[in-house]
Amino acid sequence: MATITLKSNAIHTNGELPAVGSTAPDFHLVDKDLNDVRLGDFKGKKKLLNIVPSLDTSVCATSARKFNEYIKGRSDLVMLTISADLPFAQGRFCQSEGLSNVVTLSMMRSRNFAKDYGVLIQDGPLAGITARAIVVLDEQDRVVYTELVPEIAQEPNYDKALAAL
């Protein structure tokens, strides 16, 4: 269990992020077209998992926009923004923001992703959705960088995440 804060109030996750050097847990998420998506669907590419509580918040939206800009024109990596939002809301967000380089994935069918990655919030007003975190994977799905953002209302460390890619 990890402790983070929401506006300076302590809240807890169900576990810890995957360890650097470990193989990332597989996942089962849903894309904008309601297709089931697994980690293996991105085989051979570097992956940045931008895990956010909801794209309907300014900090989550900002991180998606910043990472979208970074990966523009990069075919060697994929940026996955993962949230509890429904795929329809994720699609509207990307369309309204003009984000074409982001792959949004929803936990609508299962919270196992959040549990397996140790980011499921256990208590407080956001219980049941994810903490804000970054996980960077290499082409073989090994974890090369993680960040559990200590205050949910803060942005992640973009420079460190991007350097890991």
Side-chain angles (χ1 to χ4, degrees):
M1 179 183 302
T3 300
I4 57 175
T5 58
L6 172 63
K7 299 182 180 174
S8 301
N9 296 309
I11 56 176
H12 304 92
T13 66
N14 70 304
E16 303 290 332
L17 289 170
V20 171
S22 68
T23 299
D26 192 12
F27 55 69
H28 174 227
L29 296 164
V30 181
D31 72 8
K32 65 181 177 62
D33 298 318
L34 302 178
N35 296 311
D36 292 333
V37 176
R38 301 190 80 82
L39 180 59
D41 294 337
F42 305 100
K43 187 176 180 170
K45 291 188 179 225
K46 297 176 186 177
K47 291 156 276 297
L48 189 151
L49 282 59
N50 180 30
I51 305 165
V52 301
S54 173
L55 287 169
D56 196 27
T57 67
S58 62
V59 176
C60 299
T62 297
S63 68
R65 283 192 295 271
K66 286 186 177 184
F67 287 130
N68 179 76
E69 189 60 32
Y70 175 78
I71 67 168
K72 198 178 284 184
R74 302 269 317 256
S75 61
D76 62 324
L77 62 97
V78 61
M79 200 273 280
L80 308 174
T81 294
I82 302 163
S83 73
D85 298 306
L86 291 175
F88 315 111
Q90 292 174 334
R92 280 192 306 275
F93 169 79
C94 288
Q95 185 176 18
S96 70
E97 294 288 331
L99 304 183
S100 59
N101 303 310
V102 175
V103 175
T104 54
L105 298 173
S106 173
M107 298 187 311
M108 72 178 253
R109 294 189 181 133
S110 171
R111 295 292 189 253
N112 287 341
F113 168 84
K115 292 175 187 174
D116 294 346
Y117 278 74
V119 295
L120 184 66
I121 297 175
Q122 298 293 294
D123 52 16
L126 299 180
I129 63 174
T130 66
R132 184 178 317 287
I134 301 295
V135 178
V136 177
L137 309 176
D138 68 11
E139 299 88 341
Q140 288 79 40
D141 299 331
R142 281 188 309 262
V143 179
V144 296
Y145 173 81
T146 65
E147 177 190 7
L148 179 63
V149 179
E151 165 57 53
I152 207 161
Q154 292 176 339
E155 294 177 54
N157 187 324
Y158 300 106
D159 293 337
K160 285 186 178 180
L162 298 174
L165 289 169

